[in-house]
Amino acid sequence: MPALDLSTLNPPQRDAVTTQHGPLLVLAGAGTGKTRVITFRIAELIRRGVSPERILSVTFTNKAAKEMLERATHLLGNKGARKKPVISTFHSLCVRILREEIETLGYPSRFAIYDRGDQESAARTALREVRVADKAMRPPDLLNVISKWKMAGIPPERAADFVENDQEFLAAVAYRKYQKNLRSSGAVDFDDLLLLTDHLFQTNPEVLKRQQQKFDYVQVDEYQDTNGVQFRLVEALVAPHKNLCVVGDDDQSIYGWRGAEVEHILGFDRHFPGAKVVRLENNYRCTDQILDLANRLVKHNVGRYDKTLIAHKSSEHPVRFAEFESEVEEAEKLVAEIKYLIEEKNFPASSIAILFRTNEQPRVFETELRRMDIPYVLVGSQSFFDKKEVRDLMAYLKALAFPQDDISLMRIINTPTRGIGASTVEKISTRAVQQGSHFFEAVDTSLKAGDISQKAADSVRSFQRLLETFRGRTQSEVHRLSDLVHELIKTIDYDSEICRQYKDEAQQIARKEVLEGLVSSVSDYVQQAEKPSLYEFIENSALGARDDESNKEDLLSGQGVKLMTLHSAKGLEFPWVYLVGLEEGYLPHRRSVEDGSRKAIEEERRLAYVGITRAKDYLTISRAGTRKKWGKKRLSLPSRFLHEMKGETAPPEVAAAIAFAED
């Protein structure tokens, strides 16, 4: 086979590609061409005589695996070759192994893989069998705990040793039953694919040896994202030959919340003595000023490899730091600028991204983008206006604004629960259809006909009076609309619905913050409207015809401004980036600040670093001086990261707040 043209690679890239044996760590900073290195390395191994099927390359997404195979095949110029390298995700690799070996564990080789719906049914059965009531633990809550344990490699028989509270004690009991039921059904769930393969490797030397003998060279992409089980799988597979190449960036390790352990990449030379380290530092994506900020910021992390990204593009415009009085002004001014860029400067809307830390932040930007008629796509998270809590409360507001809107009424009539059962609703609805009336108009008829009890009728009438009371107030006190919405939330005790839906305290807090956002949205509307009305607010909040799509790639192909969390933005790049909300409590996030650990703050700093390095040419970093909570303004402090990336000392008030949080 003719030699590959390695002249397009820079010296460190070439070094990584031509290092063939032993453990190799390729530290690939943002925008340094890691995919080129991986694919060239596969092609070079094959060119030197390694049989393609003896090479295993593992990554985290099917898209990345497909792209890697296509690029390697193109380099080799043998699209029709029968033998190909094995390039797959961790889960696909484990399916391949389990199909061959799972009978050793008492499962059939043709096992079923349960989807989320199947899992919830199995979890519900397990909870019922161990006599755990729905109020104590819901199936989704059980599955979340089980998934956390499985990602950490904890089997059901050891789960009791890791419980941290009463709910997890119940989960440990149900976990045993859940897993037993799956096994008796010849099924596994998604996490089992990793956990059972790890168990096979740990307990069955013959199985491990068979799998080890299949590959002479192993590569792992995005190594900083591996969890404990994935690390052990890799370590086991390469034990005989140590021909392991891992590619990753400790500065972009941002998935600690889902089990990823940055220590795997930081401790690579300890796990694999004699490892060679190659640093890819030549960045071909960002301008010099953008990289200067990123380098200064991330150097504040103690737990990292020492490296500095080198720019190959000069800045045409400096990085802009913008401060606004409020989050509403932040959205208004930045969206107005975006409109100018699109309409006057002919920038494609799809070349612009707005990045934020939490799923609640885009609400004001969505509102403003809709008002300015700018197309946008919310990537990697649900639209603020499509969240269950917002949809529920909007249904209340629609029921107030439109008394004949029975569809909205049906959504909220027993949300939160108020003793109006499904049978009562069905019987009244049927009677309403028969007599051609609306729901409340059929209550008396239903009672007289014996369809419903007096108690049920009283419950429905009580709810009707509540709506009528608030309906009158929204008309007479329209300038207090945000206060009225807040009062409505308290009156119906929507917090009880959140507590019923989500047992995890962090989830409850996040859902209540969504309600804060809705109240603030109403407050913003009232301040801006010439003649505010509940009817107009509902109209302004309508989402239009856009459908939310779950596939990130489909969303990214859309022709609108991209709104996304920093987690969703990893691996992407945009000519123009707005990194918004650089405030204490947002970035770094409040939970990390309250955690107080260096590890938690360093992951937040890496998130900010990821955000900065998404920008190719233009970067604006903004913050608001005040933000609303429950419709009331609250002062916010500039993020410590702003001062770090500028090379400045934090002002006394910020330093004091940081010190207080750390104490």
Side-chain angles (χ1 to χ4, degrees):
M1 185 179 294
L4 288 171
D5 180 9
L6 303 183
S7 64
T8 59
L9 303 176
N10 62 39
Q13 290 174 333
R14 216 159 33 239
D15 189 13
V17 167
T18 56
T19 299
Q20 303 284 294
H21 302 290
L24 169 66
L25 168 60
V26 180
L27 289 171
T32 58
K34 73 178 178 68
T35 305
R36 284 173 57 78
V37 168
I38 294 170
T39 53
F40 265 86
R41 193 170 184 277
I42 292 172
E44 181 67 6
L45 281 168
I46 296 171
R47 190 196 68 80
R48 292 189 182 189
V50 178
S51 186
E53 76 275 11
R54 306 291 299 173
I55 302 170
L56 170 66
S57 194
V58 186
T59 186
F60 278 82
T61 67
N62 289 315
K63 177 180 179 292
K66 181 181 178 183
E67 179 185 357
M68 204 178 294
L69 180 59
E70 289 175 348
R71 291 175 68 166
T73 302
H74 176 73
L75 284 173
L76 292 165
N78 59 347
K79 292 184 178 180
R82 293 178 61 186
K83 293 182 178 180
K84 296 182 183 295
V86 178
I87 304 179
S88 75
T89 64
F90 272 102
H91 288 90
S92 296
L93 172 66
C94 289
V95 168
R96 179 191 297 250
I97 294 170
L98 291 175
R99 291 294 183 199
E100 299 173 0
E101 311 284 7
I102 199 171
E103 288 179 326
T104 305
L105 300 177
Y107 288 80
S109 60
R110 300 182 69 176
F111 55 86
I113 302 175
Y114 274 3
D115 62 19
R116 183 69 180 187
D118 297 327
Q119 285 182 263
E120 290 198 3
S121 296
R124 189 173 293 106
T125 299
L127 289 168
R128 184 170 62 246
E129 289 179 350
V130 298
R131 301 183 185 281
V132 174
D134 281 352
K135 290 184 178 179
M137 175 170 286
R138 297 164 55 249
D141 300 324
L142 172 61
L143 292 176
N144 289 339
V145 177
I146 289 176
S147 182
K148 180 185 75 170
W149 282 331
K150 287 186 176 182
M151 282 193 298
I154 301 170
E157 57 271 16
R158 292 179 52 217
D161 298 332
F162 295 88
V163 299
E164 298 179 356
N165 51 51
D166 291 344
Q167 189 180 46
E168 289 194 356
F169 176 78
L170 296 176
V173 176
Y175 182 13
R176 280 176 172 267
K177 182 65 68 174
Y178 169 84
Q179 205 63 26
K180 181 181 177 182
N181 291 346
L182 258 64
R183 181 168 176 166
S184 64
S185 301
V188 301
D189 64 22
F190 203 59
D191 293 320
D192 280 334
L193 297 175
L194 300 181
L195 187 64
L196 293 177
T197 306
D198 178 51
H199 182 62
L200 272 171
F201 284 3
Q202 301 290 331
T203 61
N204 197 309
E206 293 80 11
V207 168
L208 176 58
K209 186 176 181 180
R210 279 197 295 272
Q211 296 302 320
Q212 288 172 334
Q213 290 174 341
K214 292 185 175 185
F215 305 108
D216 297 321
Y217 296 88
V218 176
Q219 292 189 153
V220 181
D221 188 19
E222 302 286 8
Y223 190 67
Q224 77 280 350
D225 293 339
T226 53
N227 61 32
V229 177
Q230 290 160 338
F231 169 77
R232 287 197 300 274
L233 291 173
V234 172
E235 188 178 42
L237 282 173
V238 304
H241 51 71
K242 300 293 193 300
N243 290 329
L244 171 66
C245 170
V246 302
V247 184
D249 183 8
D250 52 302
D251 289 333
Q252 296 186 76
S253 179
I254 59 174
Y255 294 114
W257 52 275
R258 69 181 190 194
E261 298 177 31
V262 70
E263 289 78 12
H264 294 156
I265 194 168
L266 294 177
F268 186 78
D269 57 348
R270 294 195 307 274
H271 300 134
F272 301 96
K276 178 176 180 176
V277 179
V278 175
R279 288 172 167 80
L280 305 185
E281 298 177 306
N282 292 279
N283 177 286
Y284 301 96
R285 174 192 298 159
C286 311
T287 64
D288 50 2
Q289 291 198 23
I290 291 171
L291 288 188
D292 285 346
L293 284 183
N295 286 326
R296 273 198 298 269
L297 173 66
V298 81
K299 284 185 185 298
H300 285 268
N301 276 1
V302 176
R304 68 183 293 266
Y305 286 98
D306 183 27
K307 54 189 178 299
T308 301
L309 293 181
I310 302 166
H312 284 256
K313 288 168 58 177
S314 297
S315 299
E316 293 183 11
H317 301 277
V319 174
R320 184 162 61 107
F321 292 90
E323 298 182 7
F324 301 98
E325 191 279 327
S326 68
E327 76 269 38
V328 174
E329 185 183 32
E330 181 182 41
E332 288 177 344
K333 295 292 178 62
L334 295 184
V335 170
E337 179 177 298
I338 289 170
K339 188 177 182 68
Y340 172 78
L341 292 173
I342 294 170
E343 295 184 355
E344 302 298 329
K345 294 297 184 178
N346 297 317
F347 267 88
S350 58
S351 69
I352 301 169
I354 302 173
L355 308 183
F356 40 84
R357 174 63 179 87
T358 72
N359 284 326
E360 281 64 56
Q361 285 174 269
R363 186 263 306 170
V364 287
F365 287 94
E366 283 195 84
T367 299
E368 194 62 20
L369 286 164
R370 283 199 308 276
R371 192 178 73 82
M372 300 289 282
D373 198 26
I374 297 173
Y376 73 92
V377 181
L378 188 65
V379 180
S381 63
Q382 192 180 28
S383 166
F384 173 84
F385 294 97
D386 277 346
K387 295 178 187 295
K388 178 186 183 301
E389 295 75 22
V390 175
R391 289 173 68 98
D392 284 348
L393 266 298
M394 288 300 294
Y396 270 93
L397 299 184
K398 289 175 185 177
L400 298 180
F402 311 106
Q404 297 179 328
D405 184 358
D406 283 351
I407 293 177
S408 294
L409 182 64
M410 292 302 100
R411 180 180 180 93
I412 62 172
I413 193 163
N414 203 40
T415 301
T417 55
R418 51 176 59 88
I420 304 174
S423 176
T424 296
V425 173
E426 181 180 356
K427 289 174 180 176
I428 297 175
S429 297
T430 300
R431 186 66 63 176
V433 171
Q434 290 174 349
Q435 65 187 43
S437 66
H438 295 289
F439 182 84
F440 285 131
E441 297 168 348
V443 174
D444 288 342
T445 309
S446 299
L447 179 61
K448 292 175 182 177
D451 297 337
I452 61 174
S453 67
Q454 183 65 54
K455 182 179 179 182
D458 291 342
S459 296
V460 174
R461 289 298 189 200
S462 176
F463 181 56
Q464 183 182 18
R465 286 194 295 274
L466 181 146
L467 292 179
E468 288 173 348
T469 298
F470 274 92
R471 181 177 296 124
R473 294 183 63 189
T474 58
Q475 295 169 357
S476 62
E477 305 173 47
V478 67
H479 289 284
R480 293 188 60 248
L481 201 53
S482 62
D483 290 337
L484 288 175
V485 174
H486 188 195
E487 188 178 334
L488 174 65
I489 292 170
K490 292 169 65 176
T491 301
I492 63 176
D493 190 19
Y494 195 84
D495 280 2
S496 67
E497 176 70 8
I498 290 175
C499 293
R500 184 181 72 83
Q501 292 277 343
Y502 311 100
K503 301 306 179 185
D504 179 73
E505 185 178 357
Q507 284 187 311
Q508 292 176 6
I509 293 172
R511 299 295 167 166
K512 291 175 184 178
E513 288 176 349
V514 171
L515 298 184
E516 288 184 27
L518 178 62
V519 174
S520 295
S521 180
V522 177
S523 175
D524 296 341
Y525 158 74
V526 171
Q527 289 181 8
Q528 296 171 11
E530 290 185 13
K531 294 182 178 180
S533 70
L534 179 58
Y535 173 86
E536 187 182 69
F537 170 74
I538 293 170
E539 287 294 303
N540 290 351
S541 300
L543 286 177
R546 181 180 57 85
D547 291 326
D548 286 318
E549 300 172 64
S550 59
N551 187 290
K552 182 176 175 180
E553 295 305 315
D554 289 344
L555 287 171
L556 285 170
S557 67
Q559 296 305 304
V561 174
K562 304 301 185 291
L563 276 69
M564 65 183 75
T565 64
L566 291 167
H567 286 100
S568 296
K570 184 175 176 291
L572 304 175
E573 58 183 43
F574 301 92
W576 203 302
V577 167
Y578 291 89
L579 178 55
V580 303
L582 263 287
E583 300 145 36
E584 289 291 309
Y586 282 87
L587 188 62
H589 193 275
R590 174 175 51 83
R591 285 196 299 271
S592 297
V593 173
E594 292 174 351
D595 180 280
S597 68
R598 176 176 63 83
K599 182 178 179 180
I601 294 298
E602 288 197 347
E603 180 152 326
E604 291 293 304
R605 190 175 284 113
R606 291 194 292 268
L607 263 177
Y609 172 85
V610 165
I612 292 170
T613 54
R614 298 313 92 194
K616 295 169 67 176
D617 304 302
Y618 306 94
L619 174 63
T620 295
I621 300 174
S622 68
R623 77 172 187 92
T626 63
R627 285 190 183 270
K628 284 186 177 178
K629 291 181 71 67
W630 297 111
K632 308 297 181 184
K633 284 186 179 180
R634 300 287 186 270
L635 289 174
S636 61
L637 291 174
S639 169
R640 66 192 76 184
F641 301 154
L642 280 172
H643 306 291
E644 292 173 358
M645 67 179 72
K646 293 178 181 178
E648 301 173 347
T649 301
E653 65 271 19
V654 177
I658 294 171
F660 178 78
E662 290 175 347
D663 289 342

